[in-house]
Amino acid sequence: MIDSLLWIMCFILFAGLTVLLLDRRRLRSGNRVEAEITGIYDEYTDAAIHVFFDVSERKKMERALKESMERYRRLVELSPAAIAVFKDKGLIYLNPSCMKLFGASRMEEMIGSHPRSWLLEDDPDLIAACRDEILQHGFITAKELRIKRLNGGIIDIVANAIYDDQSDTVEIVFEDITERKKVEQALMESERLNRQIIEISPVAMLLHQDYRFTYANPHALLLLGAASSDEIVGHRIGEITHPDSHELVMEYVEDVYEQQGTSQLGWHRMIRRDGKVIDVEAVTAPIPFMGAKTAVTIVRDITERKKQEDDRRYAEDLVRESEDRYFRLQMSLDQFSSDSFGMIKEEDLNCRFVREVRQVIGTDLVSFIEVDHHTNVTVTHGGPEIADSILETIFELGPHQLPICELIDTLDGHFVKIGEIRGISCILCIGEPSPFLVIQATRVWLETIARYVSVLYDNFRVIGDLNRELEQIASQQRTPVWLLRLIFQLSEKERKNLAQDLHDAALQDQIVWYRKLDQLMTAPELPENLHRELEKIKQGLLDVMYQIRITCNELRPPMLRELGLERSLEGLFELTQLRSDYAIRFECSGLNHPMNDDLLIGLYRIVQEMLANASKHSGATQVVIKLFGSQDRLCLNYADNGVGMNVEDTERVFSNMGVYGIKERVRSLNGEVRLVSSPDQGLSISISIPA
């Protein structure tokens, strides 16, 4: 026993010496060493035995471990992930991110809390399942949960847990997925909405991949005449494409697959499931996220629109053809009217009419016939033969009862009555059915040119009546009322033009020269004798200007329509008083009748003539003029106290004293005039005119 103890002591002593030797060598090399020293007191020797252990490596490992733990702690503290440590029945640690997750400002607010306190749904089965899972596997797989924050808010999280058997703790990592859940929910809503939009879209949509259909919305199924998507999905694009469009469609789709660009809007033809061919507009766009060769094609049925466009083009062609036809017909009317200008013979007009119809209708079987009261038919122009059905229809309807200028169709042709001259019916006949007369525009042209000829017939008749009336007038030496009215209207027009010319030319020139003269007379160096002569010229110019104004007023009564007859006559009387030696007394009453321009100017001119006669011949000192209206007539009475006349000498009175003009003016107004006078007894004139 003692020997063993001695050996141990020797070993320890030897080891201590070795440590010291090593330490001495290390000290000699300048390196520092960490050591543990153990001292043993020996009571027998009264000495201490020191045992040195080199612990440098261990200390390094401890420091490294401490630094590692510090880094781990800092990583946990600074980690953006929410980390908590659970032990026994509550949380014992939360990093700052976890406190922020729960809305805690201090760790003590969450220390000791159990998941039941912050899980939104207290599900004992869920907690028990998590406990069993961590005891069995040492961890808990990620689970989506909803938790309540300290401020009452609710968030969605994903939680992972790891069991540490050395510390008997559970480390829990939380991830806030609230925003992600919102985005996912919004995405799901968007997808649901997009799918709903596609499903209810009135546009046909076909999804295809690698030239095969993978989806067709209901409108696409309706467009293609398919009862279900099984009839479309899985089939190739070429199966529904018409052979005329197959090559172009496949080229478009291939470009979309390869170039990943949207195709241009194109017109194609497709074959429905029932074999019917339809016209469509289609555009194809790629969908890269669904695969390399995936695209959607939007199709619109334009069969009806295509038909409408074809109909429109056909209608435009018809309109264009109609416009050309209208132009030719219009040119025909213009040429015919131009050629008819100045014609005064019916024979020339009928010949030109037949020639024009032949040119436009394109047939030589055009005839002009006359039918008298005894139904005798005479062909005056054109072909000599008339179809029996045309004559039968004319006699059946009655030549004199036929409507004027209305085209009538028969089995063998057409005819139109132009009019009647001296009891003879004039009819144009076309001896064969003409396709041109089926067209409404041509029928209107023929009826229009026939109406034009009919009007010319009426003009010929009026001209003939006028010639006969003129011959009768010439034999009776009496001017008709209408001619008198026309002469007076022309006279008033010439008076108006003359007054306008005097006012715009002569009077304006006089005013210019008057102003120049007045300006010249203001010169200070002008001699006195020359100034007096120029003053005389200036006064002479004023007199001429005044006379021109008076003449203009006499030629054209100013504001007769605007002021009315009474006011205009008062102005005339005031002007006359300035130049005459007699007094004028004017009385007016009952002028409530509407008056046209002819009546207004006629009465005004009659009064002018009366005043002129009084100034030139009567030698009167007083003139009385009365104008009044009765129920249906206007009355104008004139009386003066002049020299009078012998009214029995009518020829001399009317020719020498201007009364003839009054008489003719009254007659042009369908009125009556009566003169009462004798020598030295004055003159009285009474005029009555229908209102």
Side-chain angles (χ1 to χ4, degrees):
M1 181 67 182
I2 296 173
D3 292 339
S4 299
L5 184 59
L6 289 174
W7 278 106
I8 291 172
M9 292 293 292
C10 290
F11 174 77
I12 294 172
L13 180 62
F14 178 76
L17 291 174
T18 304
V19 171
L20 289 174
L21 289 173
L22 290 172
D23 184 58
R24 181 172 296 174
R25 285 198 299 271
R26 291 181 180 179
L27 290 173
R28 286 175 182 174
S29 64
N31 295 328
R32 302 178 68 179
V33 189
E34 291 180 308
E36 288 183 354
I37 303 174
T38 304
I40 303 175
Y41 176 72
D42 184 3
E43 60 183 6
Y44 294 105
T45 61
D46 191 23
I49 300 174
H50 297 276
V51 179
F52 293 84
F53 291 98
D54 186 357
V55 293
S56 299
E57 293 299 325
R58 191 184 72 189
K59 287 293 185 179
K60 288 181 180 179
M61 294 178 62
E62 288 177 353
R63 284 194 295 271
L65 179 60
K66 185 178 180 181
E67 291 175 358
S68 175
M69 292 181 66
E70 181 65 20
R71 283 196 301 270
Y72 173 75
R73 185 189 67 78
R74 291 184 63 193
L75 286 174
V76 172
E77 291 288 332
L78 300 176
S79 172
I83 302 173
V85 179
F86 180 82
K87 186 174 183 179
D88 295 334
K89 295 183 180 181
L91 296 177
I92 61 173
Y93 171 78
L94 295 88
N95 72 341
S97 296
C98 190
M99 289 191 292
K100 183 178 179 181
L101 178 73
F102 281 94
S105 58
R106 295 179 297 106
M107 189 182 301
E108 288 74 9
E109 295 176 1
M110 293 295 297
I111 295 298
S113 64
H114 193 275
R116 288 192 182 92
S117 65
W118 35 266
L119 282 176
L120 184 62
E121 297 179 359
D122 187 6
D123 189 352
D125 295 336
L126 175 63
I127 296 175
C130 291
R131 184 175 61 249
D132 295 341
E133 185 177 355
I134 201 168
L135 291 177
Q136 183 178 357
H137 302 289
F139 62 89
I140 297 176
T141 56
K143 298 186 181 301
E144 290 189 8
L145 304 171
R146 303 188 76 194
I147 64 173
K148 293 180 291 186
R149 303 176 81 237
L150 293 181
N151 61 3
I154 299 173
I155 58 175
D156 295 290
I157 63 167
V158 172
N160 293 276
I162 302 174
Y163 176 66
D164 184 5
D165 55 355
Q166 292 185 358
S167 60
D168 193 25
T169 59
V170 178
E171 294 182 359
I172 308 173
V173 180
F174 300 95
E175 180 184 358
D176 186 355
I177 61 170
T178 305
E179 292 301 322
R180 191 181 76 188
K181 290 283 287 183
K182 289 181 180 179
V183 172
E184 289 177 353
Q185 184 66 26
L187 182 60
M188 291 176 60
E189 288 293 328
S190 176
E191 289 179 352
R192 184 185 63 80
L193 179 61
N194 290 337
R195 185 173 186 85
Q196 185 178 5
I197 291 174
I198 292 175
E199 291 289 333
I200 66 174
S201 173
V203 179
M205 297 184 181
L206 295 164
L207 190 67
H208 47 89
Q209 187 172 27
D210 198 16
Y211 303 99
R212 290 184 180 275
F213 295 114
T214 58
Y215 170 77
N217 72 338
H219 199 80
L221 299 178
L222 181 64
L223 176 71
L224 297 174
S228 66
S229 58
D230 295 337
E231 299 182 24
I232 302 299
V233 174
H235 292 266
R236 298 186 65 83
I237 294 176
E239 295 180 28
I240 65 169
T241 306
H242 192 273
D244 295 345
S245 306
H246 184 272
E247 183 177 353
L248 183 61
V249 169
M250 298 308 292
E251 182 180 342
Y252 279 168
V253 175
E254 183 179 0
D255 287 343
V256 172
Y257 284 165
E258 300 297 331
Q259 305 296 331
Q260 291 295 299
T262 303
S263 70
Q264 61 182 358
L265 183 66
W267 168 77
H268 314 295
R269 305 185 74 191
M270 298 180 68
I271 305 175
R272 287 166 45 93
R273 301 299 296 174
D274 56 6
K276 182 180 178 181
V277 178
I278 59 175
D279 296 297
V280 299
E281 273 182 347
V283 62
T284 302
I287 309 179
F289 64 88
M290 295 185 65
K293 290 188 175 183
T294 305
V296 61
T297 297
I298 299 175
V299 185
R300 179 187 300 170
D301 187 356
I302 60 169
T303 305
E304 196 62 33
R305 193 181 78 186
K306 193 79 167 51
K307 181 177 180 301
Q308 292 176 358
E309 289 179 355
D310 293 340
D311 293 342
R312 179 178 56 80
R313 282 194 292 269
Y314 176 71
E316 287 177 352
D317 293 340
L318 289 180
V319 169
R320 194 175 297 109
E321 181 182 351
S322 176
E323 289 177 349
D324 295 340
R325 184 185 302 110
Y326 174 81
F327 178 76
R328 293 194 301 271
L329 296 177
Q330 185 63 41
M331 290 299 296
S332 169
L333 288 174
D334 293 343
Q335 187 63 43
F336 182 79
S337 62
S338 176
D339 293 346
S340 301
F341 183 76
M343 285 186 181
I344 59 174
K345 293 184 178 181
E346 298 173 9
E347 183 178 352
D348 296 339
L349 178 62
N350 295 339
C351 182
R352 180 67 181 86
F353 182 34
V354 170
R355 186 170 75 251
E356 190 67 26
V357 174
R358 282 179 173 177
Q359 291 177 355
V360 175
I361 302 300
T363 178
D364 292 333
L365 301 179
V366 179
S367 305
F368 195 90
I369 65 174
E370 295 179 352
V371 183
D372 60 16
H373 291 287
H374 303 289
T375 65
N376 295 320
V377 177
T378 304
V379 179
T380 61
H381 300 85
E385 297 182 359
I386 309 298
D388 294 337
S389 64
I390 295 178
L391 293 177
E392 290 174 0
T393 305
I394 291 174
F395 295 145
E396 180 180 351
L397 298 176
H400 303 289
Q401 283 74 41
L402 291 175
I404 302 296
C405 302
E406 181 179 325
L407 184 63
I408 298 176
D409 303 318
T410 67
L411 294 176
D412 296 328
H414 320 268
F415 66 88
V416 57
K417 181 178 178 180
I418 309 303
E420 289 193 8
I421 299 180
R422 295 178 293 278
I424 297 176
S425 299
C426 301
I427 302 173
L428 179 80
C429 302
I430 300 174
E432 63 179 0
S434 174
F436 290 98
L437 292 178
V438 178
I439 303 171
Q440 184 64 23
T442 310
R443 297 178 67 89
V444 171
W445 165 84
L446 182 55
E447 292 178 351
T448 301
I449 199 170
R451 193 171 295 110
Y452 187 84
V453 174
S454 178
V455 170
L456 289 178
Y457 282 169
D458 293 339
N459 291 340
F460 290 159
R461 183 173 61 253
V462 170
I463 292 172
D465 294 341
L466 287 175
N467 287 331
R468 286 189 293 274
E469 185 174 351
L470 288 175
E471 291 174 357
Q472 183 180 2
I473 291 171
S475 62
Q476 296 179 357
Q477 296 295 319
R478 181 178 177 84
T479 306
V481 173
W482 65 267
L483 187 56
L484 277 176
R485 189 176 295 117
L486 177 61
I487 292 172
F488 284 126
Q489 288 175 351
L490 294 175
S491 174
E492 291 299 329
K493 184 177 180 182
E494 290 303 318
R495 286 170 179 254
K496 180 179 179 181
N497 293 338
L498 180 57
Q500 189 71 36
D501 292 341
L502 285 173
H503 182 275
D504 295 344
L507 182 59
Q508 299 304 317
D509 291 343
Q510 294 291 336
I511 293 173
V512 171
W513 287 111
Y514 176 81
R515 290 176 178 173
K516 289 183 177 181
L517 180 60
D518 186 61
Q519 185 178 5
L520 180 63
M521 292 175 63
T522 59
E525 65 274 8
L526 191 67
E528 182 64 26
N529 58 344
L530 184 58
H531 188 278
R532 287 193 299 271
E533 293 299 325
L534 291 178
E535 182 66 30
K536 293 179 181 179
I537 296 174
K538 179 180 176 182
Q539 293 302 320
L541 282 175
L542 283 175
D543 293 341
V544 172
M545 290 164 56
Y546 176 76
Q547 188 61 42
I548 292 176
R549 290 183 187 276
I550 296 299
T551 304
C552 290
N553 291 339
E554 290 178 350
L555 290 172
R556 183 182 63 182
M559 306 294 286
L560 179 60
R561 166 60 66 181
E562 291 77 5
L563 297 178
L565 181 59
E566 182 178 356
R567 292 285 304 278
S568 297
L569 288 177
E570 289 175 351
L572 175 63
F573 298 149
E574 291 176 2
L575 185 62
T576 304
Q577 292 274 221
L578 298 176
R579 301 180 297 171
S580 61
D581 297 330
Y582 53 85
I584 301 175
R585 182 162 60 89
F586 176 55
E587 297 178 8
C588 182
S589 63
L591 293 184
N592 300 322
H593 306 81
M595 301 184 191
N596 56 31
D597 292 340
D598 290 341
L599 185 56
L600 281 173
I601 194 66
L603 289 171
Y604 187 89
R605 294 300 185 199
I606 290 171
V607 174
Q608 266 188 325
E609 190 66 37
M610 289 176 173
L611 296 177
N613 181 70
S615 299
K616 294 177 181 179
H617 307 290
S618 70
T621 59
Q622 185 176 9
V623 172
V624 178
I625 296 178
K626 297 180 180 180
L627 178 63
F628 58 92
S630 62
Q631 183 175 0
D632 57 351
R633 302 187 76 81
L634 291 173
C635 299
L636 176 63
N637 293 337
Y638 168 90
D640 65 34
N641 59 357
V643 297
M645 68 180 73
N646 185 5
V647 280
E648 294 180 358
D649 191 1
T650 307
E651 195 72 28
R652 184 184 65 82
V653 170
F654 285 168
S655 60
N656 295 339
M657 298 189 66
V659 182
Y660 178 77
I662 296 175
K663 176 176 174 293
E664 291 298 284
R665 178 80 72 170
V666 172
R667 193 161 69 86
S668 71
L669 297 174
N670 294 318
E672 299 174 356
V673 59
R674 185 169 66 88
L675 277 73
V676 177
S677 181
S678 60
D680 299 324
Q681 297 298 318
L683 173 65
S684 176
I685 304 175
S686 299
I687 297 173
S688 175
I689 299 173

